[in-house]
mmCIF file of all heavy atoms in Angstrom:
data_model
loop_
_atom_site.group_PDB
_atom_site.id
_atom_site.type_symbol
_atom_site.label_atom_id
_atom_site.label_comp_id
_atom_site.label_asym_id
_atom_site.label_seq_id
_atom_site.Cartn_x
_atom_site.Cartn_y
_atom_site.Cartn_z
ATOM 1 N N LEU A 1 29.998 14.817 -16.278
ATOM 2 C CA LEU A 1 28.944 13.808 -16.229
ATOM 3 C C LEU A 1 29.214 12.790 -15.130
ATOM 4 O O LEU A 1 28.292 12.358 -14.424
ATOM 5 C CB LEU A 1 28.824 13.104 -17.581
ATOM 6 C CG LEU A 1 27.742 12.013 -17.689
ATOM 7 C CD1 LEU A 1 26.369 12.584 -17.370
ATOM 8 C CD2 LEU A 1 27.750 11.372 -19.072
ATOM 9 N N ALA A 2 30.467 12.398 -14.947
ATOM 10 C CA ALA A 2 30.811 11.473 -13.866
ATOM 11 C C ALA A 2 30.499 12.088 -12.509
ATOM 12 O O ALA A 2 29.985 11.404 -11.606
ATOM 13 C CB ALA A 2 32.293 11.101 -13.959
ATOM 14 N N LEU A 3 30.782 13.388 -12.346
ATOM 15 C CA LEU A 3 30.461 14.076 -11.092
ATOM 16 C C LEU A 3 28.956 14.128 -10.871
ATOM 17 O O LEU A 3 28.467 13.926 -9.744
ATOM 18 C CB LEU A 3 31.055 15.478 -11.108
ATOM 19 C CG LEU A 3 30.811 16.338 -9.853
ATOM 20 C CD1 LEU A 3 31.413 15.664 -8.628
ATOM 21 C CD2 LEU A 3 31.391 17.736 -10.052
ATOM 22 N N ALA A 4 28.200 14.382 -11.947
ATOM 23 C CA ALA A 4 26.742 14.433 -11.827
ATOM 24 C C ALA A 4 26.164 13.070 -11.464
ATOM 25 O O ALA A 4 25.245 12.964 -10.639
ATOM 26 C CB ALA A 4 26.130 14.931 -13.141
ATOM 27 N N LEU A 5 26.705 12.010 -12.054
ATOM 28 C CA LEU A 5 26.215 10.666 -11.735
ATOM 29 C C LEU A 5 26.561 10.281 -10.300
ATOM 30 O O LEU A 5 25.782 9.602 -9.620
ATOM 31 C CB LEU A 5 26.805 9.654 -12.717
ATOM 32 C CG LEU A 5 26.292 9.763 -14.162
ATOM 33 C CD1 LEU A 5 27.028 8.765 -15.064
ATOM 34 C CD2 LEU A 5 24.787 9.513 -14.228
ATOM 35 N N LEU A 6 27.720 10.718 -9.830
ATOM 36 C CA LEU A 6 28.087 10.458 -8.437
ATOM 37 C C LEU A 6 27.120 11.166 -7.493
ATOM 38 O O LEU A 6 26.670 10.583 -6.489
ATOM 39 C CB LEU A 6 29.519 10.930 -8.177
ATOM 40 C CG LEU A 6 30.017 10.816 -6.730
ATOM 41 C CD1 LEU A 6 30.035 9.368 -6.278
ATOM 42 C CD2 LEU A 6 31.412 11.444 -6.601
ATOM 43 N N THR A 7 26.773 12.410 -7.817
ATOM 44 C CA THR A 7 25.803 13.145 -7.006
ATOM 45 C C THR A 7 24.438 12.467 -7.042
ATOM 46 O O THR A 7 23.751 12.369 -6.017
ATOM 47 C CB THR A 7 25.691 14.594 -7.512
ATOM 48 O OG1 THR A 7 26.988 15.192 -7.531
ATOM 49 C CG2 THR A 7 24.771 15.409 -6.624
ATOM 50 N N LEU A 8 24.054 11.986 -8.232
ATOM 51 C CA LEU A 8 22.786 11.277 -8.365
ATOM 52 C C LEU A 8 22.761 10.020 -7.503
ATOM 53 O O LEU A 8 21.744 9.723 -6.853
ATOM 54 C CB LEU A 8 22.557 10.912 -9.835
ATOM 55 C CG LEU A 8 21.352 10.011 -10.131
ATOM 56 C CD1 LEU A 8 20.050 10.728 -9.794
ATOM 57 C CD2 LEU A 8 21.352 9.580 -11.594
ATOM 58 N N MET A 9 23.855 9.297 -7.479
ATOM 59 C CA MET A 9 23.904 8.069 -6.694
ATOM 60 C C MET A 9 23.755 8.352 -5.201
ATOM 61 O O MET A 9 22.976 7.689 -4.496
ATOM 62 C CB MET A 9 25.231 7.344 -6.956
ATOM 63 C CG MET A 9 25.407 6.050 -6.197
ATOM 64 S SD MET A 9 27.016 5.279 -6.495
ATOM 65 C CE MET A 9 28.112 6.495 -5.715
ATOM 66 N N ILE A 10 24.470 9.362 -4.715
ATOM 67 C CA ILE A 10 24.400 9.692 -3.288
ATOM 68 C C ILE A 10 23.014 10.214 -2.919
ATOM 69 O O ILE A 10 22.416 9.798 -1.913
ATOM 70 C CB ILE A 10 25.489 10.715 -2.927
ATOM 71 C CG1 ILE A 10 26.876 10.114 -3.175
ATOM 72 C CG2 ILE A 10 25.353 11.167 -1.481
ATOM 73 C CD1 ILE A 10 28.013 11.094 -2.986
ATOM 74 N N ALA A 11 22.483 11.133 -3.760
ATOM 75 C CA ALA A 11 21.159 11.694 -3.462
ATOM 76 C C ALA A 11 20.072 10.630 -3.564
ATOM 77 O O ALA A 11 19.154 10.572 -2.743
ATOM 78 C CB ALA A 11 20.874 12.853 -4.422
ATOM 79 N N GLY A 12 20.174 9.767 -4.593
ATOM 80 C CA GLY A 12 19.164 8.724 -4.752
ATOM 81 C C GLY A 12 19.149 7.747 -3.601
ATOM 82 O O GLY A 12 18.090 7.347 -3.111
ATOM 83 N N ALA A 13 20.344 7.347 -3.139
ATOM 84 C CA ALA A 13 20.414 6.412 -2.005
ATOM 85 C C ALA A 13 19.932 7.067 -0.718
ATOM 86 O O ALA A 13 19.343 6.406 0.144
ATOM 87 C CB ALA A 13 21.840 5.911 -1.832
ATOM 88 N N THR A 14 20.142 8.398 -0.599
ATOM 89 C CA THR A 14 19.702 9.105 0.611
ATOM 90 C C THR A 14 18.185 9.254 0.643
ATOM 91 O O THR A 14 17.524 8.900 1.631
ATOM 92 C CB THR A 14 20.368 10.483 0.695
ATOM 93 O OG1 THR A 14 21.792 10.320 0.680
ATOM 94 C CG2 THR A 14 19.945 11.200 1.958
ATOM 95 N N PHE A 15 17.618 9.790 -0.442
ATOM 96 C CA PHE A 15 16.170 10.016 -0.471
ATOM 97 C C PHE A 15 15.392 8.731 -0.697
ATOM 98 O O PHE A 15 14.204 8.656 -0.383
ATOM 99 C CB PHE A 15 15.830 11.036 -1.574
ATOM 100 C CG PHE A 15 16.291 12.428 -1.264
ATOM 101 C CD1 PHE A 15 17.441 12.937 -1.848
ATOM 102 C CD2 PHE A 15 15.592 13.236 -0.381
ATOM 103 C CE1 PHE A 15 17.879 14.220 -1.566
ATOM 104 C CE2 PHE A 15 16.020 14.525 -0.090
ATOM 105 C CZ PHE A 15 17.165 15.023 -0.682
ATOM 106 N N GLY A 16 16.047 7.713 -1.253
ATOM 107 C CA GLY A 16 15.338 6.464 -1.517
ATOM 108 C C GLY A 16 14.923 5.728 -0.267
ATOM 109 O O GLY A 16 14.007 4.893 -0.302
ATOM 110 N N SER A 17 15.583 6.023 0.849
ATOM 111 C CA SER A 17 15.234 5.364 2.107
ATOM 112 C C SER A 17 14.137 6.086 2.872
ATOM 113 O O SER A 17 13.681 5.585 3.904
ATOM 114 C CB SER A 17 16.482 5.256 2.999
ATOM 115 O OG SER A 17 17.016 6.550 3.270
ATOM 116 N N PHE A 18 13.701 7.254 2.372
ATOM 117 C CA PHE A 18 12.649 7.996 3.062
ATOM 118 C C PHE A 18 11.298 7.305 2.866
ATOM 119 O O PHE A 18 11.037 6.703 1.816
ATOM 120 C CB PHE A 18 12.576 9.428 2.539
ATOM 121 C CG PHE A 18 13.731 10.293 2.967
ATOM 122 C CD1 PHE A 18 13.899 11.563 2.456
ATOM 123 C CD2 PHE A 18 14.656 9.831 3.903
ATOM 124 C CE1 PHE A 18 14.950 12.361 2.852
ATOM 125 C CE2 PHE A 18 15.719 10.623 4.300
ATOM 126 C CZ PHE A 18 15.874 11.883 3.779
ATOM 127 N N PRO A 19 10.404 7.406 3.840
ATOM 128 C CA PRO A 19 9.098 6.725 3.731
ATOM 129 C C PRO A 19 8.258 7.182 2.541
ATOM 130 O O PRO A 19 7.575 6.370 1.914
ATOM 131 C CB PRO A 19 8.419 7.072 5.060
ATOM 132 C CG PRO A 19 9.552 7.348 6.012
ATOM 133 C CD PRO A 19 10.618 7.993 5.166
ATOM 134 N N PHE A 20 8.318 8.481 2.210
ATOM 135 C CA PHE A 20 7.475 8.943 1.108
ATOM 136 C C PHE A 20 7.917 8.348 -0.226
ATOM 137 O O PHE A 20 7.085 8.109 -1.115
ATOM 138 C CB PHE A 20 7.475 10.481 1.051
ATOM 139 C CG PHE A 20 8.726 11.085 0.475
ATOM 140 C CD1 PHE A 20 8.825 11.347 -0.888
ATOM 141 C CD2 PHE A 20 9.802 11.403 1.289
ATOM 142 C CE1 PHE A 20 9.972 11.909 -1.421
ATOM 143 C CE2 PHE A 20 10.951 11.959 0.763
ATOM 144 C CZ PHE A 20 11.038 12.208 -0.592
ATOM 145 N N MET A 21 9.218 8.063 -0.406
ATOM 146 C CA MET A 21 9.680 7.420 -1.622
ATOM 147 C C MET A 21 9.235 5.959 -1.671
ATOM 148 O O MET A 21 8.900 5.437 -2.743
ATOM 149 C CB MET A 21 11.206 7.506 -1.710
ATOM 150 C CG MET A 21 11.737 8.897 -1.973
ATOM 151 S SD MET A 21 11.225 9.538 -3.589
ATOM 152 C CE MET A 21 12.041 8.396 -4.691
ATOM 153 N N GLN A 22 9.219 5.299 -0.528
ATOM 154 C CA GLN A 22 8.760 3.910 -0.490
ATOM 155 C C GLN A 22 7.270 3.812 -0.761
ATOM 156 O O GLN A 22 6.806 2.837 -1.350
ATOM 157 C CB GLN A 22 9.102 3.306 0.881
ATOM 158 C CG GLN A 22 10.601 3.234 1.145
ATOM 159 C CD GLN A 22 10.922 2.698 2.521
ATOM 160 O OE1 GLN A 22 10.026 2.373 3.287
ATOM 161 N NE2 GLN A 22 12.214 2.616 2.842
ATOM 162 N N ARG A 23 6.523 4.848 -0.339
ATOM 163 C CA ARG A 23 5.088 4.862 -0.667
ATOM 164 C C ARG A 23 4.866 5.211 -2.132
ATOM 165 O O ARG A 23 3.905 4.729 -2.763
ATOM 166 C CB ARG A 23 4.367 5.861 0.226
ATOM 167 C CG ARG A 23 4.275 5.444 1.691
ATOM 168 C CD ARG A 23 3.279 6.312 2.441
ATOM 169 N NE ARG A 23 3.691 7.718 2.417
ATOM 170 C CZ ARG A 23 4.416 8.294 3.370
ATOM 171 N NH1 ARG A 23 4.824 7.567 4.424
ATOM 172 N NH2 ARG A 23 4.740 9.565 3.286
ATOM 173 N N LEU A 24 5.741 6.057 -2.688
ATOM 174 C CA LEU A 24 5.595 6.464 -4.087
ATOM 175 C C LEU A 24 5.919 5.326 -5.033
ATOM 176 O O LEU A 24 5.255 5.147 -6.069
ATOM 177 C CB LEU A 24 6.507 7.671 -4.371
ATOM 178 C CG LEU A 24 6.448 8.267 -5.782
ATOM 179 C CD1 LEU A 24 5.052 8.816 -6.062
ATOM 180 C CD2 LEU A 24 7.498 9.363 -5.933
ATOM 181 N N LEU A 25 6.941 4.530 -4.692
ATOM 182 C CA LEU A 25 7.365 3.402 -5.528
ATOM 183 C C LEU A 25 7.379 2.135 -4.677
ATOM 184 O O LEU A 25 8.445 1.663 -4.253
ATOM 185 C CB LEU A 25 8.748 3.663 -6.129
ATOM 186 C CG LEU A 25 8.865 4.862 -7.069
ATOM 187 C CD1 LEU A 25 10.328 5.110 -7.425
ATOM 188 C CD2 LEU A 25 8.056 4.633 -8.338
ATOM 189 N N PRO A 26 6.216 1.579 -4.398
ATOM 190 C CA PRO A 26 6.183 0.374 -3.554
ATOM 191 C C PRO A 26 6.769 -0.827 -4.297
ATOM 192 O O PRO A 26 6.623 -0.979 -5.501
ATOM 193 C CB PRO A 26 4.679 0.176 -3.281
ATOM 194 C CG PRO A 26 4.009 0.837 -4.442
ATOM 195 C CD PRO A 26 4.878 2.003 -4.828
ATOM 196 N N GLY A 27 7.443 -1.670 -3.543
ATOM 197 C CA GLY A 27 8.028 -2.871 -4.125
ATOM 198 C C GLY A 27 9.399 -2.673 -4.723
ATOM 199 O O GLY A 27 10.007 -3.639 -5.188
ATOM 200 N N ILE A 28 9.902 -1.434 -4.738
ATOM 201 C CA ILE A 28 11.236 -1.144 -5.296
ATOM 202 C C ILE A 28 12.125 -0.619 -4.175
ATOM 203 O O ILE A 28 11.787 0.370 -3.522
ATOM 204 C CB ILE A 28 11.164 -0.109 -6.440
ATOM 205 C CG1 ILE A 28 10.264 -0.625 -7.568
ATOM 206 C CG2 ILE A 28 12.564 0.186 -6.978
ATOM 207 C CD1 ILE A 28 10.117 0.365 -8.708
ATOM 208 N N ARG A 29 13.258 -1.286 -3.966
ATOM 209 C CA ARG A 29 14.203 -0.860 -2.941
ATOM 210 C C ARG A 29 15.224 0.093 -3.555
ATOM 211 O O ARG A 29 16.129 -0.339 -4.275
ATOM 212 C CB ARG A 29 14.895 -2.068 -2.325
ATOM 213 C CG ARG A 29 13.964 -3.001 -1.562
ATOM 214 C CD ARG A 29 14.738 -4.130 -0.921
ATOM 215 N NE ARG A 29 15.767 -3.615 -0.019
ATOM 216 C CZ ARG A 29 16.647 -4.390 0.614
ATOM 217 N NH1 ARG A 29 16.638 -5.708 0.413
ATOM 218 N NH2 ARG A 29 17.543 -3.863 1.433
ATOM 219 N N LEU A 30 15.053 1.365 -3.276
ATOM 220 C CA LEU A 30 15.963 2.373 -3.821
ATOM 221 C C LEU A 30 17.149 2.556 -2.879
ATOM 222 O O LEU A 30 17.432 3.658 -2.401
ATOM 223 C CB LEU A 30 15.212 3.689 -4.029
ATOM 224 C CG LEU A 30 14.001 3.625 -4.968
ATOM 225 C CD1 LEU A 30 13.307 4.974 -5.035
ATOM 226 C CD2 LEU A 30 14.440 3.192 -6.363
ATOM 227 N N ASP A 31 17.875 1.474 -2.630
ATOM 228 C CA ASP A 31 19.011 1.533 -1.728
ATOM 229 C C ASP A 31 20.289 1.830 -2.498
ATOM 230 O O ASP A 31 20.267 2.078 -3.710
ATOM 231 C CB ASP A 31 19.146 0.220 -0.946
ATOM 232 C CG ASP A 31 19.179 -0.992 -1.867
ATOM 233 O OD1 ASP A 31 19.204 -0.808 -3.098
ATOM 234 O OD2 ASP A 31 19.192 -2.125 -1.360
ATOM 235 N N MET A 32 21.423 1.793 -1.802
ATOM 236 C CA MET A 32 22.702 2.115 -2.426
ATOM 237 C C MET A 32 23.043 1.135 -3.538
ATOM 238 O O MET A 32 23.584 1.525 -4.582
ATOM 239 C CB MET A 32 23.809 2.132 -1.365
ATOM 240 C CG MET A 32 25.194 2.437 -1.914
ATOM 241 S SD MET A 32 25.316 4.060 -2.706
ATOM 242 C CE MET A 32 25.317 5.135 -1.265
ATOM 243 N N PHE A 33 22.748 -0.147 -3.343
ATOM 244 C CA PHE A 33 23.050 -1.134 -4.375
ATOM 245 C C PHE A 33 22.307 -0.816 -5.671
ATOM 246 O O PHE A 33 22.872 -0.934 -6.773
ATOM 247 C CB PHE A 33 22.671 -2.537 -3.881
ATOM 248 C CG PHE A 33 22.885 -3.619 -4.904
ATOM 249 C CD1 PHE A 33 24.152 -4.142 -5.126
ATOM 250 C CD2 PHE A 33 21.827 -4.102 -5.662
ATOM 251 C CE1 PHE A 33 24.354 -5.122 -6.071
ATOM 252 C CE2 PHE A 33 22.029 -5.084 -6.614
ATOM 253 C CZ PHE A 33 23.295 -5.591 -6.820
ATOM 254 N N PHE A 34 21.037 -0.411 -5.563
ATOM 255 C CA PHE A 34 20.245 -0.076 -6.753
ATOM 256 C C PHE A 34 20.882 1.076 -7.516
ATOM 257 O O PHE A 34 21.051 1.007 -8.742
ATOM 258 C CB PHE A 34 18.815 0.282 -6.321
ATOM 259 C CG PHE A 34 17.957 0.808 -7.439
ATOM 260 C CD1 PHE A 34 17.304 -0.068 -8.297
ATOM 261 C CD2 PHE A 34 17.804 2.171 -7.631
ATOM 262 C CE1 PHE A 34 16.510 0.420 -9.329
ATOM 263 C CE2 PHE A 34 17.020 2.661 -8.657
ATOM 264 C CZ PHE A 34 16.368 1.780 -9.511
ATOM 265 N N TRP A 35 21.257 2.136 -6.797
ATOM 266 C CA TRP A 35 21.788 3.315 -7.476
ATOM 267 C C TRP A 35 23.200 3.081 -7.996
ATOM 268 O O TRP A 35 23.587 3.642 -9.030
ATOM 269 C CB TRP A 35 21.747 4.516 -6.537
ATOM 270 C CG TRP A 35 20.350 4.997 -6.311
ATOM 271 C CD1 TRP A 35 19.577 4.829 -5.204
ATOM 272 C CD2 TRP A 35 19.541 5.717 -7.255
ATOM 273 N NE1 TRP A 35 18.338 5.377 -5.381
ATOM 274 C CE2 TRP A 35 18.291 5.937 -6.639
ATOM 275 C CE3 TRP A 35 19.739 6.183 -8.538
ATOM 276 C CZ2 TRP A 35 17.258 6.620 -7.275
ATOM 277 C CZ3 TRP A 35 18.717 6.857 -9.185
ATOM 278 C CH2 TRP A 35 17.489 7.070 -8.557
ATOM 279 N N VAL A 36 23.988 2.262 -7.314
ATOM 280 C CA VAL A 36 25.310 1.916 -7.837
ATOM 281 C C VAL A 36 25.186 1.166 -9.153
ATOM 282 O O VAL A 36 25.927 1.420 -10.117
ATOM 283 C CB VAL A 36 26.086 1.075 -6.803
ATOM 284 C CG1 VAL A 36 27.320 0.446 -7.441
ATOM 285 C CG2 VAL A 36 26.508 1.940 -5.625
ATOM 286 N N ALA A 37 24.213 0.238 -9.229
ATOM 287 C CA ALA A 37 23.999 -0.507 -10.470
ATOM 288 C C ALA A 37 23.550 0.423 -11.591
ATOM 289 O O ALA A 37 24.022 0.321 -12.730
ATOM 290 C CB ALA A 37 22.972 -1.616 -10.237
ATOM 291 N N VAL A 38 22.633 1.355 -11.273
ATOM 292 C CA VAL A 38 22.142 2.294 -12.294
ATOM 293 C C VAL A 38 23.269 3.181 -12.803
ATOM 294 O O VAL A 38 23.452 3.367 -14.022
ATOM 295 C CB VAL A 38 20.988 3.142 -11.721
ATOM 296 C CG1 VAL A 38 20.630 4.274 -12.682
ATOM 297 C CG2 VAL A 38 19.764 2.277 -11.458
ATOM 298 N N VAL A 39 24.044 3.743 -11.889
ATOM 299 C CA VAL A 39 25.125 4.649 -12.274
ATOM 300 C C VAL A 39 26.209 3.907 -13.046
ATOM 301 O O VAL A 39 26.774 4.433 -14.015
ATOM 302 C CB VAL A 39 25.704 5.332 -11.021
ATOM 303 C CG1 VAL A 39 26.991 6.073 -11.356
ATOM 304 C CG2 VAL A 39 24.690 6.293 -10.430
ATOM 305 N N THR A 40 26.496 2.666 -12.671
ATOM 306 C CA THR A 40 27.503 1.887 -13.396
ATOM 307 C C THR A 40 27.084 1.644 -14.830
ATOM 308 O O THR A 40 27.896 1.781 -15.768
ATOM 309 C CB THR A 40 27.741 0.544 -12.684
ATOM 310 O OG1 THR A 40 28.162 0.785 -11.339
ATOM 311 C CG2 THR A 40 28.806 -0.270 -13.403
#
């Protein structure tokens, strides 16, 4: 589970910066800080 959450954090921070994700979820910054907080 720790390995899966680590993968989720890296993938989320990578795809969260793409324009289509910003259009899909406007007003939410899916950056590394967001995913680190979620995974923690």
Side-chain angles (χ1 to χ4, degrees):
L1 180 58
L3 180 60
L5 291 176
L6 176 62
T7 305
L8 173 65
M9 180 182 67
I10 297 174
T14 302
F15 290 102
S17 59
F18 288 172
F20 76 91
M21 290 296 296
Q22 296 177 0
R23 290 193 299 267
L24 182 63
L25 298 172
I28 301 178
R29 295 183 58 184
L30 301 177
D31 53 6
M32 179 61 74
F33 177 80
F34 173 84
W35 288 105
V36 167
V38 170
V39 169
T40 302

